[in-house]
Amino acid sequence: MEQHLVVHLRTCSEEQPYKCTECDKAFKTPQSLKQHQITHTDERPYQCTECHKAFKSKCALTVHQQIHSGVKPYTCTECAKAFRTKEKLTVHQRAHTDERPYKCTECQKAFKVKCVLTVHQQIHSGVKPYTCAECGKAFSTKAYLTVHQRTHTDKKPQVCTKRDQFFKTEMNLKLHQSSHSAERSFKCTECGKAFRTKPNLKQHQLTHIHERPYQCTECQKAFKSKCALRVHQQIHSLVKPYTCTECAKAFSTKACLMVHQRTHTDEKPHVCTKCDRFYKTEINLMQHQSTHSNERPFKCRECYKAFRTIKCLKLHQRIHNREKPYNCTECGRAFRTSGEVMEHQRRHFEERPFKCTECDKSFKVKQRLMLHLRTHTQDKPYKCTECDKAFRSYNYLIRHRVTHSMERPYECSKCDKTFKVKQLLMLHWRIHTGEKPFKCMVCEKDFQTKGNLVTHQRIHTGEKPYSCTECDKTFRTGGELRMHQTTHSDERPYKCIQCGKAFKRISVLILHQKIHTGEKSYTGMECDKFSNK
């Protein structure tokens, strides 16, 4: 009894007289020291009779055997969840009470489990005792080392039974399995929004906090979380420690590397339950799922425009506050997004990394390539609800929709001419200013629009990308092709309202209408070329 009292008193005094000769770790009892010393050897004297798995301690064997028996004798009184050991039940109950009895003496951060505190303290001490034999990288825990070693062996022991997909860690498997279920058990107490995983909930909860206590010492930018600050600081240090083994591309975070690696494997683990479409990241899935509903919860306080995602709202708000944080290193021009500055910088180097496999045409931006590919596949996924006309891109559809409206809100201040689209007004304005900003590098001819320049350049290159499906004749522009295709058809869609005569081309109709008005197009010459058409 006296011996038990002595051991107990050590819990109050924190006395640990028994030291390990291998690692200098100290313990309160000789039994604890003896149990610890086994970790320095490969000895596993306790074997399971069911699966022959071996363990270093009898206690670990006893806990393991409960897996085979299915016995979970310890039940939580709050949620009725059952556990194999009393210790696991105690840790679980802290989830209900939010009790964190283990506090770090360095930063006062508190933890629910002692082993998590021990791992955390290694951040302050910098101790990383577990080293990878392959690459020499060091880790603070053996578990982290084990997970890391799988990057060398490509071992993925965790398997999803629904889709036969393999994962390196149990956490990754659980995150993946949540995509099969519509259940969202983690709810935000502020807005009631539910999430599949606790990390996603924590990330969301930051949107309710307006305080940004973590500030970058380089550019004074502030962040809501310490993790976000660390990721940001890598921009200034240019450190990209995570390298892709396939293409040697480097990334600042492991998460970015993992997402990138899916471009090589074409893995798309996140599935939409509405339309069975697959996505590489959960963020892409969530953005897609918002298209199934008309919900736009994020509103701009300046103009009340609504957006599906907070990211789109933040990008939009830069229009109002004129924020352009991304600068071109060549000419100093500022841009609102990193994508815009990357696209712009390619103009300095004429870099076109995205090549079409059908016609060898190359593009500076991946989105332009994807849009171009639809000219080969004839894919037009965006349909007008008014006339069933289909378009290759959403922007083309928006531009077309204006034609169904009689509204012309954009007025020229010089000649009072009105337009349905702002871009057409800007193009029209160049007639008054005489501005022709696009120059041909071959003959130095100037043009008002980039489209006109591209069409003109085909005279020099001889390129005729538009082919007629009836006779294989090729044309420089889509307009020329459409005009030609009328020769294969008897359709005459352009009708004169005066005499009812119909024409294949609108230009011929305009010339014809001058007969009724008495207007003469050709002065000093006779021309009845179009009179009988």
Side-chain angles (χ1 to χ4, degrees), residues 235-250:
I235 297 168
H236 300 299
S237 65
L238 298 177
V239 174
K240 293 186 177 183
Y242 303 95
T243 307
C244 175
T245 53
E246 291 286 332
C247 64
K249 197 172 182 180

Side-chain angles (χ1 to χ4, degrees), residues 428-474:
H428 165 78
W429 185 251
R430 288 175 184 163
I431 295 170
H432 298 298
T433 62
E435 183 190 2
K436 292 183 178 182
F438 301 97
K439 183 176 278 191
C440 175
M441 303 299 288
V442 178
C443 64
E444 296 189 349
K445 194 173 181 180
D446 297 322
F447 296 88
Q448 286 178 343
T449 67
K450 190 177 180 180
N452 289 345
L453 171 62
V454 172
T455 301
H456 164 79
Q457 285 172 329
R458 288 173 186 155
I459 297 169
H460 300 299
T461 61
E463 184 189 2
K464 293 183 177 182
Y466 299 92
S467 301
C468 176
T469 53
E470 294 287 333
C471 64
D472 294 331
K473 204 170 180 180
T474 57

Side-chain angles (χ1 to χ4, degrees), residues 186-195 198-209 224 286 298 310:
F186 299 94
K187 281 191 178 179
C188 174
T189 53
E190 292 286 331
C191 63
K193 200 169 183 181
F195 298 87
K198 196 172 183 179
N200 285 348
L201 170 62
K202 284 185 175 179
Q203 189 65 37
H204 163 77
Q205 283 171 330
L206 293 173
T207 61
H208 297 298
I209 303 168
K224 291 177 180 178
M286 288 171 73
F298 303 97
I310 195 166

Side-chain angles (χ1 to χ4, degrees), residues 514-529:
K514 288 173 182 176
I515 297 169
H516 300 296
T517 60
E519 187 181 349
K520 291 182 179 179
S521 302
Y522 303 93
T523 307
M525 61 182 286
E526 292 295 326
C527 181
D528 58 351
K529 184 178 178 181

